[in-house]
Amino acid sequence: MAEIVLGIDLGTTYSCVAVMEGNTPRVLEQKGGYRTLPSVVAFNPDTSSMVGHIAKRQAVTNAENTIYSAKRLIGRNFQSSEVEKAVKSVPYKIVQGPNRDPRIHVFGKNYPIQEISALVLKQIKAIAEEALHVKVEKAVITVPAYFSDGQRQATKDAGVIAGLEVLRIVNEPTAAALAFGFQKKLQKKVAVYDLGGGTFDISVLDISSDAFEVLATAGNTYLGGEDFDQKIIEFVANNFENEHSFDLKQDKMALQRLKDAAESAKCQLSSTLETEINLPFVTTVKGESKHLKTSLQRVDLERLTESLIDETIKICGSALDMAALKIADIDDVILVGGMTRMPLVQQKVKEFFGKIPAKNVHPDEAVALGAAILGQTLMQEEAPIMLLDVTPFSLGIRTAGGFSTTLIQKNSTIPTEQSHVFTTVTDGQRSVKIQVLQGESRLASDNSLLGEFTLTDIPEDKAGVPEVEVSFSIDSNGIVQVSAKDRKSKKEQSIVVTATSTLSDEEREQLSLEFEKSDELGIKASK
Amino acid sequence: MSHPSDALQKRVAPKDITEGLTAEEYFLWSRLQSEIDVKDLLPLCPWSEDETLKKLESLIQKNSAQWVAASSKKNSFKSSADFSNVLDEEDKNPELKKLDREFRLSVLVKESELEKLNHYEILEVYARATEKELKESYLKISKKFHPDRFFSKNLGAYKKKLDLIFSKIQKAYGVLKNPIERKAYDQRLSIQSPSPETPAAKPKKKILDPEIQKIGKAEHYYKAGLAQQKERNYLAAGNSFALAFQMNPSRDIYKKAYEQMKPLMAKEKGKQTLENAKIKFENLGASKEILSMVEEVLHSDPGLADAQLFSGKLILDLGITERVRDAKERLLRAKAVLSKDPEASFQLGRAYLALGDFKAAEKEFEETLKRNPSHLLAKKQLDKLQDR
């Protein structure tokens, strides 16, 4: 029997796992028949943890120690605007780690984000092993197409910490397209609109039978269902403040209850026109208990969130432009992600593409199913399908004068490699600093710095004479490697760019050892 | 030529003599452009392989074309035999042996050629390939050399080789899939071939008097132009001569060479204009402007069957009744040259229809269906005529 490979959709709010059975992918259910797992981790004072539904259920009473939406933080820089935003909106504490990475402070300990995601992945692995009654080690994990190098690297690290061999990090919309077109011998151009809990992606693919070619991808890694929830929270909290002169967001428990209520109200409004948010004893103001009871209409929600949806539509337009396609060229539109259940999202997508989205795709499960398909095909003697995916950002290096010289253009098919010869700018210069940049601007300062290293011991010479060859490569996981070589001395240096991934090798190893230990303990206890 | 399959290995180049050629032979001659491999020539012609080879032979007998040695760069490619030792050695390694020997050979051959191949050759298509052909070949080649193809096996050193080949394939397709970049690349290709650029580009470090440099450059351009002229790349040659004349107006031969090139350039430009007109037509539909573009081309190159066909079609599409006779005239000639093209007879049928000659129209639509049995429009027209 071929080796089992898990297809894991590690989502911002929910995760899902699938495997292949023969030629059909299947979602693995948990006890109780759940098909998705909340990506929530809660800690107890003794540092033991809970993951999934039980963690989510106890969130209200343990808000400060319950971590959700780790995906919005993974692989980011503590000083980035996204982390800043998160610090303001979550009840748990985010602090700065040793490498400018965000870490989560719980019961006196700082947890790297990778470790939080690893706990979710470990739970997923356990679910799969229980459902299949065998040990599984291999996995394909999905990430938003618009994830940067650092975010991919960090996600892969989380997999390794959880004891998984990560065969591939694959883009979520690509995986969904795979689930849509696998073994159907299609000749179609499809657009995958993926609006999940935390991120938005649009990918345009050309499917020719068993070849899946991504023509272009675009997105926003900080635009998803959580932002819709946030709009409701602010709306309700504002009304409450007007009435009672008290900001509910100051009360952590109230905020957590309101967050849960906002999410469920949002979901209900996809099928009804009106719903009620009812939170008795939500808080106490000057010793007096206050209740929150308000009705919310679908039109309210639509008015609050229309700008978010319009933003996604704008990004769809730019993806088509990059693919050099007209709207009419798209044969099918696929909707993925829980947020695409919202009627206004469906309506706006339909209006933009002039098409009713395909019906035979499950918005919560397609991504995991596609990952499982990819996992199985990779393990076969000869891969029966071909994925031609692209890199979402341009990559370059900083050159004299503060400019950015692009080496790999965005939407280049991966894996890819590219090299360029640079030189020194002053006489007798012995070293050059290589700064790796990601982004589309011509100015280095407008792009984000992925990492840097210095090539030293260049033989002394006049400015412009030494030849330094800088090579970039992006592997099939979308992970970047950069090397620089002095052509004369043949001295070479290379790095896997990890500036934002922030776990050193030792640290990662240490963590996976700890996990293994706890794994052993777990098995002994259950005997 | 003893055996037709021998001919497929050969290369052929046109000569300047076109006297006494039949219309079909002239058509074949016009397809030769500069040197071309016979196997690449076949898809450009509307005839069967045998017929094309026969016509080619007659062309050579009439001294309008000649065989040339397969280009030297091709000869320098390694053949599979060169790798058999490497492969035998690898077969001793049980991990590598699991990797199909045939596959390893194709990787080694491709890798050894990479630096010498142009974008078309990397993708294994001929330079006139349509977008569809290009894409098909791209997918085929990508699949063959995709690093994921044998993911489950230990690829060893082949991992790096595949990454490199795959990367080059993507780069080549990245250029050719974009019509604008492809055009620019085509122009660069034709200038590159005899590589007259290198001698001037290399001695960069020597600093010369700018005037002397100019004279040297002019001579260089002139020589490049001569090489391009020999390659029948008249547009590039004309430009080179013009540049030479501009750099050093005191030498008459530059000017003369340029003057000589002018009519040929016009012809060449005509072909390009026709291409542009076709692209415009595809994007915007028929218009009088496109028609006048095409007629401009016909004016400078009246023998161009493509232009005859296209202008005839445009007249009919635009419904210019007073010019239907012109259209018929042109389409008749186009049909004779493009003796396999269903479009030529179909358009001619339309012209007869417009002139009220239903019998002749019927005949042409029948002919269209003979040329392409699934020509729906012809079928429809024929049904309509037979209903009358």
Side-chain angles (χ1 to χ4, degrees):
Chain A
M1 189 184 116
E3 226 170 327
I4 292 172
V5 184
L6 300 181
I8 302 175
D9 173 6
L10 180 62
T12 309
T13 49
Y14 288 92
S15 295
C16 184
V17 56
V19 293
M20 289 298 274
E21 276 184 352
N23 266 331
T24 332
R26 177 173 78 91
V27 167
L28 295 177
E29 285 183 3
Q30 302 147 52
K31 270 193 215 138
Y34 297 112
R35 295 170 75 83
T36 57
L37 177 82
S39 308
V40 179
V41 177
F43 289 94
N44 301 315
D46 64 355
T47 74
S48 65
S49 59
M50 298 169 268
V51 179
H53 294 282
I54 48 167
K56 193 174 164 126
R57 269 196 297 266
Q58 58 80 66
V60 173
T61 53
N62 189 24
E64 285 176 41
N65 307 310
T66 304
I67 322 303
Y68 58 88
S69 300
K71 192 174 176 181
R72 298 197 117 174
L73 302 170
I74 200 165
R76 291 197 194 268
N77 190 315
F78 183 76
Q79 273 132 9
S80 66
S81 62
E82 291 89 351
V83 173
E84 223 169 83
K85 243 168 144 180
V87 168
K88 281 187 203 139
S89 65
V90 299
Y92 52 87
K93 201 168 171 197
I94 304 171
V95 296
Q96 179 157 205
N99 305 313
R100 290 186 300 172
D101 57 321
R103 298 205 169 184
I104 291 167
H105 184 84
V106 184
F107 291 120
K109 203 181 154 195
N110 289 345
Y111 292 89
I113 313 297
Q114 287 90 327
E115 200 177 335
I116 307 292
S117 294
L119 285 166
V120 177
L121 287 170
K122 210 168 145 255
Q123 183 69 23
I124 288 172
K125 184 171 178 257
I127 290 168
E129 288 177 348
E130 193 170 301
L132 298 166
H133 304 289
V134 288
K135 264 198 126 6
V136 285
E137 256 140 26
K138 294 184 160 62
V140 169
I141 303 178
T142 65
V143 293
Y146 223 55
F147 249 22
S148 71
D149 167 64
Q151 291 168 303
R152 285 165 200 270
Q153 184 67 50
T155 305
K156 200 174 172 206
D157 288 350
V160 174
I161 294 169
L164 290 166
E165 183 192 335
V166 183
L167 296 186
R168 178 63 47 89
I169 295 289
V170 69
N171 294 329
E172 284 155 11
T174 310
L178 211 52
F180 172 76
F182 180 56
Q183 287 184 332
K184 294 213 189 96
K185 299 262 166 242
L186 303 179
Q187 297 288 338
K188 276 183 170 175
K189 294 198 173 62
V190 301
V192 183
Y193 178 101
D194 180 356
L195 187 58
T199 59
F200 169 68
D201 278 329
I202 168 85
S203 285
V204 181
L205 287 99
D206 188 351
I207 305 178
S208 310
S209 189
D210 47 9
F212 294 75
E213 184 190 2
V214 180
L215 299 176
T217 191
N220 181 339
T221 48
Y222 214 96
L223 172 57
E226 298 242 303
D227 301 295
F228 287 67
D229 298 349
Q230 200 59 38
K231 295 269 185 195
I232 299 177
I233 293 171
E234 271 158 31
F235 176 69
V236 175
N238 268 343
N239 287 349
F240 188 86
E241 195 172 356
N242 288 341
E243 201 177 321
H244 304 282
S245 311
F246 179 78
D247 183 6
L248 269 183
K249 285 182 282 181
Q250 300 306 319
D251 179 342
K252 293 225 156 117
M253 201 202 269
L255 178 60
Q256 185 60 46
R257 282 177 74 188
L258 180 54
K259 185 180 147 35
D260 288 349
E263 189 194 338
S264 76
K266 175 189 73 181
C267 294
Q268 276 167 26
L269 287 177
S270 287
S271 49
T272 63
L273 293 173
E274 186 173 3
T275 187
E276 190 175 66
I277 293 181
N278 187 2
L279 299 171
F281 304 101
V282 68
T283 190
T284 8
V285 181
K286 291 178 197 142
E288 195 185 328
S289 291
K290 294 285 175 202
H291 313 294
L292 174 74
K293 192 172 178 184
T294 177
S295 81
L296 194 69
Q297 310 229 332
R298 187 187 281 178
V299 285
D300 294 330
L301 175 66
E302 292 182 345
R303 182 172 45 81
L304 290 170
T305 59
E306 190 170 7
S307 64
L308 295 174
I309 305 173
D310 288 342
E311 173 67 22
T312 67
I313 298 294
K314 220 170 75 195
I315 298 173
C316 289
S318 69
L320 281 182
D321 290 346
M322 287 188 292
L325 292 180
K326 296 186 288 282
I327 289 173
D329 294 332
I330 300 293
D331 299 304
D332 267 310
V333 181
I334 304 171
L335 294 182
V336 193
M339 269 318 296
T340 60
R341 289 201 177 82
M342 183 173 171
L344 187 62
V345 170
Q346 295 181 354
Q347 185 198 324
K348 293 232 169 187
V349 171
K350 197 181 116 192
E351 268 169 25
F352 178 77
F353 286 102
K355 258 183 201 72
I356 297 170
K359 292 273 182 238
N360 51 347
V361 179
H362 195 298
D364 296 329
E365 298 178 358
V367 171
L369 296 174
I373 292 168
L374 179 62
Q376 190 204 43
T377 56
L378 284 176
M379 290 312 291
Q380 282 175 25
E381 186 82 356
E382 184 176 344
I385 58 171
M386 174 174 66
L387 263 196
L388 296 164
D389 214 331
V390 301
T391 174
F393 302 103
S394 294
L395 278 182
I397 66 174
R398 186 185 192 279
T399 47
F403 290 106
S404 173
T405 302
T406 300
L407 269 86
I408 297 181
Q409 295 283 352
K410 69 172 167 185
N411 286 317
S412 297
T413 303
I414 53 172
T416 182
E417 11 183 89
Q418 193 67 255
S419 62
H420 203 286
V421 178
F422 295 92
T423 187
T424 52
V425 287
T426 55
D427 289 346
Q429 188 177 344
R430 297 295 308 274
S431 66
V432 287
K433 194 172 177 185
I434 312 286
Q435 294 188 316
V436 183
L437 301 168
Q438 169 188 290
E440 316 309 321
S441 175
R442 274 197 12 94
L443 290 177
S445 53
D446 292 349
N447 291 326
S448 64
L449 180 68
L450 281 189
E452 56 187 10
F453 63 103
T454 306
L455 184 69
T456 51
D457 296 335
I458 298 171
E460 227 175 288
D461 217 324
K462 283 224 152 59
V465 175
E467 294 183 331
V468 178
E469 188 178 332
V470 178
S471 309
F472 275 42
S473 72
I474 304 182
D475 70 9
S476 303
N477 300 310
I479 290 172
V480 181
Q481 182 153 12
V482 183
S483 66
K485 187 166 88 183
D486 174 36
R487 279 191 172 172
K488 203 165 170 195
S489 67
K490 299 268 186 286
K491 191 178 155 71
E492 190 169 354
Q493 265 178 29
S494 67
I495 52 164
V496 175
V497 182
T498 51
T500 49
S501 148
T502 61
L503 280 193
S504 62
D505 284 352
E506 298 94 72
E507 211 173 351
R508 190 167 54 230
E509 209 141 282
Q510 183 60 34
L511 280 174
S512 18
L513 276 177
E514 273 174 32
F515 268 60
E516 261 171 47
K517 264 188 254 156
S518 71
D519 202 30
E520 269 173 357
L521 281 171
I523 291 170
K524 267 179 199 159
S526 66
K527 259 180 194 168
Chain B
M1 188 181 9
S2 53
H3 194 270
S5 65
D6 290 344
L8 289 180
Q9 308 298 329
K10 291 192 187 173
R11 251 172 113 72
V12 63
K15 289 181 164 182
D16 272 337
I17 306 154
T18 54
E19 277 125 63
L21 294 186
T22 67
E24 289 184 348
E25 283 164 355
Y26 185 79
F27 172 83
L28 181 61
W29 179 85
S30 74
R31 297 284 122 154
L32 294 179
Q33 296 277 329
S34 61
E35 280 182 29
I36 186 167
D37 280 340
V38 175
K39 65 175 174 4
D40 291 340
L41 177 65
L42 292 175
L44 304 178
C45 299
W47 312 293
S48 73
E49 192 178 306
D50 282 349
E51 264 178 276
T52 308
L53 291 176
K54 238 185 188 159
K55 291 192 173 75
L56 188 59
E57 217 172 346
S58 131
L59 208 60
I60 287 165
Q61 268 167 20
K62 289 182 183 171
N63 209 15
S64 296
Q66 61 192 350
W67 297 117
V68 292
S71 85
S72 54
K73 72 174 182 183
K74 295 256 148 106
N75 284 340
S76 71
F77 287 156
K78 294 188 177 175
S79 69
S80 57
D82 296 328
F83 292 109
S84 61
N85 286 338
V86 182
L87 292 169
D88 287 344
E89 196 58 36
E90 285 179 354
D91 280 344
K92 290 178 194 157
N93 177 338
E95 277 297 324
L96 278 175
K97 202 168 176 188
K98 280 191 211 153
L99 211 54
D100 189 39
R101 190 179 160 111
E102 195 69 9
F103 170 68
R104 277 181 283 142
L105 176 63
S106 64
V107 173
L108 289 172
V109 170
K110 193 89 178 174
E111 188 198 23
S112 73
E113 292 173 349
L114 272 185
E115 293 307 316
K116 300 168 211 155
L117 299 180
N118 67 36
H119 289 347
Y120 290 104
E121 291 164 327
I122 283 180
L123 296 175
E124 298 178 17
V125 286
Y126 59 95
R128 294 282 200 86
T130 63
E131 275 177 40
K132 190 165 166 260
E133 289 166 322
L134 190 67
K135 186 180 151 194
E136 275 167 11
S137 191
Y138 159 71
L139 288 178
K140 208 177 94 201
I141 301 291
S142 291
K143 197 162 189 186
K144 188 169 172 189
F145 294 107
H146 200 295
D148 278 352
R149 184 176 166 200
F150 295 109
F151 181 89
S152 59
K153 295 186 178 166
N154 187 346
L155 290 172
Y158 279 85
K159 173 85 178 65
K160 247 193 140 155
K161 293 182 204 289
L162 283 177
D163 280 349
L164 179 70
I165 295 172
F166 186 74
S167 200
K168 292 268 177 182
I169 291 169
Q170 301 311 321
K171 213 175 291 170
Y173 185 60
V175 171
L176 298 184
K177 76 174 172 190
N178 178 329
I180 298 165
E181 282 185 47
R182 180 174 174 180
K183 211 162 206 175
Y185 180 75
D186 287 348
Q187 262 161 18
R188 228 170 337 136
L189 257 196
S190 54
I191 290 170
Q192 243 174 29
S193 31
S195 68
E197 294 284 340
T198 18
K202 264 201 179 148
K204 220 192 272 172
K205 283 186 183 153
K206 266 193 240 162
I207 296 166
L208 294 170
D209 183 313
E211 277 311 305
I212 300 177
Q213 226 173 349
K214 259 191 180 171
I215 291 171
K217 260 193 191 155
E219 185 65 18
H220 157 67
Y221 279 122
Y222 175 64
K223 284 205 175 121
L226 288 179
Q228 286 152 347
Q229 184 181 4
K230 217 169 160 189
E231 288 265 304
R232 310 192 70 85
N233 191 344
Y234 301 127
L235 266 186
N239 281 334
S240 298
F241 293 146
L243 273 171
F245 178 59
Q246 203 182 323
M247 296 255 175
N248 185 3
S250 59
R251 286 202 72 180
D252 264 359
I253 52 163
Y254 298 162
K255 194 179 175 186
K256 243 186 227 159
Y258 174 59
E259 297 289 339
Q260 229 174 12
M261 208 45 55
K262 265 187 176 166
L264 290 166
M265 282 173 80
K267 221 173 179 174
E268 199 70 20
K269 248 190 201 139
K271 274 184 199 146
Q272 280 185 8
T273 315
L274 186 62
E275 286 307 310
N276 287 340
K278 279 187 180 165
I279 291 167
K280 234 183 192 166
F281 173 73
E282 265 166 39
N283 290 324
L284 303 171
S287 71
K288 286 210 168 165
E289 188 201 347
I290 300 177
L291 178 60
S292 62
M293 266 169 90
V294 180
E295 292 190 321
E296 195 67 34
V297 175
L298 268 182
H299 186 73
S300 61
D301 191 359
L304 201 58
D306 263 359
Q308 283 167 341
L309 169 55
F310 192 36
S311 66
K313 175 179 159 43
L314 282 169
I315 291 172
L316 294 170
D317 281 0
L318 292 167
I320 312 173
T321 35
E322 65 275 19
R323 298 203 51 198
V324 175
R325 261 172 210 292
D326 292 350
K328 187 195 91 179
E329 205 91 322
R330 287 177 192 168
L331 289 167
L332 264 173
R333 292 170 65 182
K335 187 194 148 199
V337 178
L338 309 172
S339 64
K340 280 215 166 144
D341 189 341
E343 212 42 38
S345 49
F346 176 68
Q347 297 299 344
L348 185 55
R350 281 179 71 200
Y352 280 129
L353 212 55
L355 290 167
D357 189 345
F358 300 116
K359 262 236 154 74
E362 200 174 326
K363 237 176 82 192
E364 288 309 322
F365 291 137
E366 273 164 3
E367 169 73 20
T368 309
L369 286 173
K370 223 185 275 165
R371 291 179 178 194
N372 174 13
S374 52
H375 199 293
L376 282 179
L377 287 172
K379 232 178 250 172
K380 237 191 221 161
Q381 292 285 10
L382 207 54
D383 287 349
K384 250 197 248 165
L385 281 172
Q386 280 159 354
D387 279 351
R388 294 169 67 97

